[in-house]
Amino acid sequence: MIPYGRQDISSADVEAVVDVLRSDFLTQGPMVPRFEETLARTVDAPEAVAFSSATAALHIACLALGLGPSDRLWTVPNTFVASANCGLYCGATVDFVDINAKTRNMDVEALASKLEAAERDGTLPKVVAPVDFAGTSADLAAIRRLADRHGFRILEDASHAVGGYYQNRPIGSCEFADVTVFSFHPVKIVTTGEGGAATTRSAEIAHRMRLLRNHGISRDPADMTAVPEGAWYYEQVMLGFNYRMTDIQAALGVRQFDRLAEFVARRQTIAARYHEGLAGLPVIRQFVPEGTLSALHLYVIELDQTVRRTRAEVFAAMRASGIGVNVHYIPVHLQPWYRALGFSRGDFPAAEKYYDFALTLPIHPNLSVDQQDYVMERLSYALEA
Ligand SMILES: *Cc1c(COP(=O)(O)O)cnc(C)c1O
């Protein structure tokens, strides 16, 4: 099966992990800070905090932004469930903003009108979490203007997007977002096995995220209520978690970042070949706005309305040909957990319509030209048969 996404592990990556296994520290050693410095330098952010996953990073970012039980978090339906669940973890109410049919990212006009209504009702969100779908930045500058008008914080879920650029700035530089979160799961752009991180320009938010990642425990006298009783002394000053990344993961991550630009360039080449090769087929190709460099975590097409086969039929035909096509995403509000909270079909029509016709094609650094040609040939056949 040709997978839709796959990690690329070099012998240097393997050696870096083995070196940690032979060292004194498997966790809480020197590699996590080195990984955080590498990420901060790469995305040009003053603060980077590593976590055990992006899901953990989203949870802690929400807490660090002050999200609590009387608050609201808004995200998009076209995402992985974690972008919404982080709000529920904090006891907040979660709601959604529909996507733009063309960009498949948060629709800024839908956000603006939902905010107007919320302003009138006194139900404004504390946190809005746009997602950089497929590696392409959401329209963060426009969302920032709305944040300044309505007073919410921006939590950018850039799980797909490390290595991408928006308005000539690296995604994660937090030019517009309060916090940006990345995932290093093996299907994403670079990997640490499991792993995630958050970047921010706020030293205070970074400090809170570091405390919350490690049980709420501090060894810094500046955080303490009492004078340290000795060198062993620490205080738990808030209720935190164990969401730490290990040194084993961080060592892999440091080496993977050496090849980030190479991985993104390879994905660009594959996407350009799809764009050209699929031009004559009855599909909507992936769109990347002018002035944006997508990290291209995914390459998603939508079947044209003229195609007589259903998406399920095309999906099955491709899988039968050994091609690991996938579907991103089932709208989160249609998951049983969210339906039980009151959401139903019809609530976010653009995300629902997109979902009905979407098909994710393989894209990853080791997809060969021959494999890609095979994918396009089988797709052409599946659409017509
Ligand atoms: C993968 C993903 C996550 C979760 O990442 P983990 O590191 O697996 O916790 C969150 N949001 C989006 C949009 C994702 O694609």
Side-chain angles (χ1 to χ4, degrees), residues 52-58 78-83 131-133 157-160 181-185 187-188 193-196 297-298 328-329:
S52 51
S53 68
T55 303
L58 288 165
N78 182 34
T79 188
F80 184 58
V81 291
S83 319
V131 175
D132 299 332
F133 181 73
D157 185 346
S159 290
H160 298 181
V181 164
F182 297 111
S183 172
F184 308 115
H185 182 278
V187 295
K188 308 288 165 76
E194 294 281 357
H297 164 52
L298 301 175
H328 298 90
Y329 285 99

Short mmCIF file of all heavy atoms in Angstrom, two decimals, residues 52-58 78-83 131-133 157-160 181-185 187-188 193-196 297-298 328-329, ligand 1:
data_model
loop_
_atom_site.label_atom_id
_atom_site.label_comp_id
_atom_site.label_asym_id
_atom_site.label_seq_id
_atom_site.Cartn_x
_atom_site.Cartn_y
_atom_site.Cartn_z
N SER A 52 4.60 16.38 24.99
CA SER A 52 4.51 14.97 24.60
C SER A 52 3.67 14.75 23.35
O SER A 52 3.75 13.70 22.71
CB SER A 52 3.93 14.16 25.77
OG SER A 52 2.74 14.76 26.23
N SER A 53 2.85 15.74 22.98
CA SER A 53 2.05 15.67 21.76
C SER A 53 1.50 17.07 21.47
O SER A 53 1.53 17.94 22.35
CB SER A 53 0.87 14.69 21.91
OG SER A 53 -0.07 15.20 22.85
N ALA A 54 0.97 17.26 20.28
CA ALA A 54 0.28 18.52 19.98
C ALA A 54 -1.00 18.63 20.79
O ALA A 54 -1.41 19.73 21.19
CB ALA A 54 -0.04 18.62 18.49
N THR A 55 -1.64 17.49 21.06
CA THR A 55 -2.86 17.51 21.86
C THR A 55 -2.56 18.07 23.26
O THR A 55 -3.32 18.91 23.77
CB THR A 55 -3.43 16.08 21.96
OG1 THR A 55 -3.65 15.60 20.63
CG2 THR A 55 -4.72 16.04 22.74
N ALA A 56 -1.44 17.62 23.86
CA ALA A 56 -1.03 18.15 25.16
C ALA A 56 -0.72 19.65 25.05
O ALA A 56 -1.09 20.44 25.92
CB ALA A 56 0.20 17.38 25.66
N ALA A 57 -0.04 20.03 23.97
CA ALA A 57 0.31 21.45 23.77
C ALA A 57 -0.95 22.31 23.65
O ALA A 57 -1.02 23.41 24.21
CB ALA A 57 1.19 21.59 22.53
N LEU A 58 -1.96 21.81 22.92
CA LEU A 58 -3.21 22.56 22.77
C LEU A 58 -3.90 22.72 24.12
O LEU A 58 -4.41 23.80 24.45
CB LEU A 58 -4.15 21.85 21.78
CG LEU A 58 -3.76 21.91 20.29
CD1 LEU A 58 -4.54 20.87 19.49
CD2 LEU A 58 -3.98 23.31 19.73
N ASN A 78 -13.48 21.47 10.09
CA ASN A 78 -12.58 20.71 9.21
C ASN A 78 -11.21 20.57 9.85
O ASN A 78 -10.23 21.22 9.47
CB ASN A 78 -12.46 21.40 7.85
CG ASN A 78 -11.59 20.61 6.89
OD1 ASN A 78 -11.59 19.38 6.92
ND2 ASN A 78 -10.84 21.31 6.06
N THR A 79 -11.14 19.74 10.89
CA THR A 79 -9.89 19.52 11.60
C THR A 79 -9.93 18.19 12.33
O THR A 79 -10.97 17.53 12.37
CB THR A 79 -9.61 20.67 12.60
OG1 THR A 79 -8.29 20.51 13.14
CG2 THR A 79 -10.61 20.69 13.74
N PHE A 80 -8.78 17.84 12.91
CA PHE A 80 -8.74 16.67 13.78
C PHE A 80 -9.40 17.05 15.10
O PHE A 80 -9.34 18.21 15.54
CB PHE A 80 -7.27 16.25 13.99
CG PHE A 80 -7.13 15.00 14.79
CD1 PHE A 80 -7.71 13.82 14.37
CD2 PHE A 80 -6.40 15.00 15.97
CE1 PHE A 80 -7.58 12.65 15.12
CE2 PHE A 80 -6.26 13.85 16.72
CZ PHE A 80 -6.86 12.67 16.29
N VAL A 81 -10.03 16.07 15.75
CA VAL A 81 -10.83 16.34 16.96
C VAL A 81 -10.07 17.09 18.06
O VAL A 81 -10.68 17.82 18.84
CB VAL A 81 -11.41 15.04 17.55
CG1 VAL A 81 -12.47 14.46 16.62
CG2 VAL A 81 -10.33 14.00 17.83
N ALA A 82 -8.73 16.94 18.09
CA ALA A 82 -7.95 17.56 19.17
C ALA A 82 -8.08 19.08 19.21
O ALA A 82 -8.00 19.68 20.29
CB ALA A 82 -6.47 17.17 19.03
N SER A 83 -8.29 19.73 18.04
CA SER A 83 -8.40 21.20 18.01
C SER A 83 -9.61 21.68 18.82
O SER A 83 -9.62 22.80 19.31
CB SER A 83 -8.55 21.73 16.58
OG SER A 83 -7.73 21.08 15.68
N VAL A 131 -7.08 26.66 12.20
CA VAL A 131 -6.21 25.53 11.85
C VAL A 131 -5.57 25.83 10.49
O VAL A 131 -6.25 26.30 9.58
CB VAL A 131 -7.03 24.23 11.78
CG1 VAL A 131 -6.19 23.05 11.30
CG2 VAL A 131 -7.66 23.93 13.14
N ASP A 132 -4.27 25.58 10.37
CA ASP A 132 -3.58 25.77 9.08
C ASP A 132 -3.74 24.48 8.28
O ASP A 132 -2.81 23.66 8.21
CB ASP A 132 -2.11 26.11 9.31
CG ASP A 132 -1.92 27.40 10.11
OD1 ASP A 132 -2.80 28.28 10.03
OD2 ASP A 132 -0.89 27.51 10.79
N PHE A 133 -4.92 24.32 7.69
CA PHE A 133 -5.27 23.04 7.07
C PHE A 133 -4.32 22.67 5.93
O PHE A 133 -4.05 23.50 5.05
CB PHE A 133 -6.72 23.07 6.57
CG PHE A 133 -7.14 21.77 5.94
CD1 PHE A 133 -7.39 20.65 6.72
CD2 PHE A 133 -7.25 21.66 4.56
CE1 PHE A 133 -7.74 19.44 6.14
CE2 PHE A 133 -7.61 20.45 3.97
CZ PHE A 133 -7.85 19.34 4.77
N ASP A 157 -3.60 26.39 15.45
CA ASP A 157 -3.26 24.97 15.38
C ASP A 157 -2.52 24.75 14.05
O ASP A 157 -3.12 24.59 13.00
CB ASP A 157 -4.50 24.08 15.47
CG ASP A 157 -4.14 22.59 15.51
OD1 ASP A 157 -2.99 22.25 15.19
OD2 ASP A 157 -5.03 21.78 15.85
N ALA A 158 -1.18 24.77 14.16
CA ALA A 158 -0.32 24.60 12.98
C ALA A 158 0.27 23.18 12.96
O ALA A 158 1.40 22.98 12.49
CB ALA A 158 0.78 25.65 12.99
N SER A 159 -0.53 22.22 13.43
CA SER A 159 -0.07 20.82 13.46
C SER A 159 0.39 20.33 12.09
O SER A 159 1.22 19.43 12.00
CB SER A 159 -1.19 19.91 13.97
OG SER A 159 -1.41 20.14 15.33
N HIS A 160 -0.17 20.93 11.01
CA HIS A 160 0.17 20.50 9.65
C HIS A 160 1.28 21.35 9.04
O HIS A 160 1.65 21.11 7.89
CB HIS A 160 -1.04 20.69 8.71
CG HIS A 160 -2.24 19.88 9.07
ND1 HIS A 160 -3.40 19.90 8.34
CD2 HIS A 160 -2.46 19.01 10.08
CE1 HIS A 160 -4.29 19.09 8.87
NE2 HIS A 160 -3.75 18.55 9.95
N VAL A 181 0.73 26.07 17.78
CA VAL A 181 1.03 24.69 18.19
C VAL A 181 1.40 23.85 16.97
O VAL A 181 0.78 23.96 15.91
CB VAL A 181 -0.19 24.08 18.93
CG1 VAL A 181 -0.08 22.56 19.03
CG2 VAL A 181 -0.31 24.70 20.32
N PHE A 182 2.43 23.01 17.15
CA PHE A 182 2.88 22.07 16.10
C PHE A 182 2.76 20.63 16.58
O PHE A 182 2.88 20.37 17.78
CB PHE A 182 4.36 22.33 15.75
CG PHE A 182 4.63 23.68 15.16
CD1 PHE A 182 5.34 24.63 15.88
CD2 PHE A 182 4.17 24.00 13.89
CE1 PHE A 182 5.59 25.88 15.34
CE2 PHE A 182 4.42 25.25 13.34
CZ PHE A 182 5.13 26.19 14.07
N SER A 183 2.57 19.71 15.63
CA SER A 183 2.59 18.27 15.93
C SER A 183 3.79 17.62 15.25
O SER A 183 4.11 17.96 14.09
CB SER A 183 1.31 17.60 15.44
OG SER A 183 1.43 16.18 15.58
N PHE A 184 4.39 16.67 15.94
CA PHE A 184 5.50 15.90 15.36
C PHE A 184 5.18 14.41 15.31
O PHE A 184 6.06 13.57 15.46
CB PHE A 184 6.80 16.21 16.14
CG PHE A 184 7.08 17.69 16.25
CD1 PHE A 184 7.07 18.33 17.50
CD2 PHE A 184 7.28 18.45 15.11
CE1 PHE A 184 7.29 19.70 17.60
CE2 PHE A 184 7.50 19.83 15.20
CZ PHE A 184 7.50 20.45 16.45
N HIS A 185 3.90 14.12 15.14
CA HIS A 185 3.45 12.75 14.88
C HIS A 185 4.08 12.29 13.55
O HIS A 185 4.29 13.11 12.67
CB HIS A 185 1.91 12.75 14.81
CG HIS A 185 1.32 11.39 14.59
ND1 HIS A 185 1.24 10.81 13.34
CD2 HIS A 185 0.81 10.50 15.45
CE1 HIS A 185 0.70 9.61 13.46
NE2 HIS A 185 0.43 9.39 14.71
N VAL A 187 3.14 11.09 10.76
CA VAL A 187 2.59 11.48 9.45
C VAL A 187 2.78 12.96 9.15
O VAL A 187 2.57 13.39 8.02
CB VAL A 187 1.08 11.17 9.26
CG1 VAL A 187 0.82 9.68 9.28
CG2 VAL A 187 0.20 11.91 10.22
N LYS A 188 3.18 13.76 10.13
CA LYS A 188 3.32 15.21 9.91
C LYS A 188 4.65 15.51 9.19
O LYS A 188 5.32 14.60 8.73
CB LYS A 188 3.17 15.94 11.24
CG LYS A 188 1.89 15.57 12.02
CD LYS A 188 0.62 16.13 11.40
CE LYS A 188 -0.66 15.49 11.94
NZ LYS A 188 -1.10 15.89 13.25
N GLY A 193 8.37 10.90 16.82
CA GLY A 193 7.58 9.75 17.26
C GLY A 193 6.21 10.26 17.65
O GLY A 193 5.36 10.46 16.79
N GLU A 194 5.97 10.45 18.93
CA GLU A 194 4.89 11.32 19.39
C GLU A 194 5.56 12.63 19.81
O GLU A 194 6.71 12.61 20.25
CB GLU A 194 4.17 10.74 20.61
CG GLU A 194 3.40 9.45 20.35
CD GLU A 194 2.05 9.66 19.68
OE1 GLU A 194 1.64 10.82 19.45
OE2 GLU A 194 1.40 8.64 19.37
N GLY A 195 4.86 13.73 19.72
CA GLY A 195 5.47 14.98 20.19
C GLY A 195 4.75 16.19 19.64
O GLY A 195 4.06 16.12 18.62
N GLY A 196 4.91 17.29 20.35
CA GLY A 196 4.32 18.55 19.92
C GLY A 196 5.08 19.70 20.54
O GLY A 196 6.02 19.49 21.32
N HIS A 297 1.38 19.34 4.22
CA HIS A 297 1.19 18.08 4.96
C HIS A 297 0.25 17.15 4.20
O HIS A 297 0.46 15.94 4.16
CB HIS A 297 0.63 18.39 6.36
CG HIS A 297 0.05 17.21 7.06
ND1 HIS A 297 0.72 16.03 7.22
CD2 HIS A 297 -1.18 17.02 7.63
CE1 HIS A 297 -0.05 15.17 7.87
NE2 HIS A 297 -1.19 15.73 8.11
N LEU A 298 -0.79 17.72 3.59
CA LEU A 298 -1.78 16.94 2.85
C LEU A 298 -1.93 17.48 1.43
O LEU A 298 -1.69 18.67 1.19
CB LEU A 298 -3.16 17.01 3.53
CG LEU A 298 -3.27 16.54 4.97
CD1 LEU A 298 -4.68 16.82 5.50
CD2 LEU A 298 -2.95 15.05 5.10
N HIS A 328 -9.72 13.68 4.97
CA HIS A 328 -9.47 14.68 6.01
C HIS A 328 -10.38 15.87 5.77
O HIS A 328 -10.19 16.54 4.76
CB HIS A 328 -8.02 15.15 5.98
CG HIS A 328 -7.03 14.06 6.26
ND1 HIS A 328 -6.48 13.29 5.26
CD2 HIS A 328 -6.50 13.62 7.43
CE1 HIS A 328 -5.64 12.42 5.80
NE2 HIS A 328 -5.63 12.58 7.10
N TYR A 329 -11.31 16.15 6.63
CA TYR A 329 -11.67 15.48 7.85
C TYR A 329 -13.17 15.26 7.91
O TYR A 329 -13.91 16.07 7.35
CB TYR A 329 -11.29 16.36 9.06
CG TYR A 329 -9.81 16.37 9.35
CD1 TYR A 329 -9.03 17.44 8.92
CD2 TYR A 329 -9.21 15.35 10.07
CE1 TYR A 329 -7.66 17.47 9.19
CE2 TYR A 329 -7.84 15.39 10.35
CZ TYR A 329 -7.08 16.45 9.92
OH TYR A 329 -5.75 16.48 10.18
C1 LIG B 1 -2.29 15.69 14.25
C2 LIG B 1 -3.13 16.83 14.70
C3 LIG B 1 -3.31 17.16 16.05
C4 LIG B 1 -2.84 16.28 17.16
O1 LIG B 1 -1.49 16.05 17.13
P1 LIG B 1 -0.85 14.96 18.11
O2 LIG B 1 0.61 15.35 18.11
O3 LIG B 1 -1.10 13.62 17.49
O4 LIG B 1 -1.47 15.10 19.45
C5 LIG B 1 -4.02 18.30 16.36
N1 LIG B 1 -4.55 19.07 15.41
C6 LIG B 1 -4.43 18.78 14.10
C7 LIG B 1 -5.03 19.69 13.09
C8 LIG B 1 -3.73 17.64 13.70
O5 LIG B 1 -3.62 17.32 12.40
#
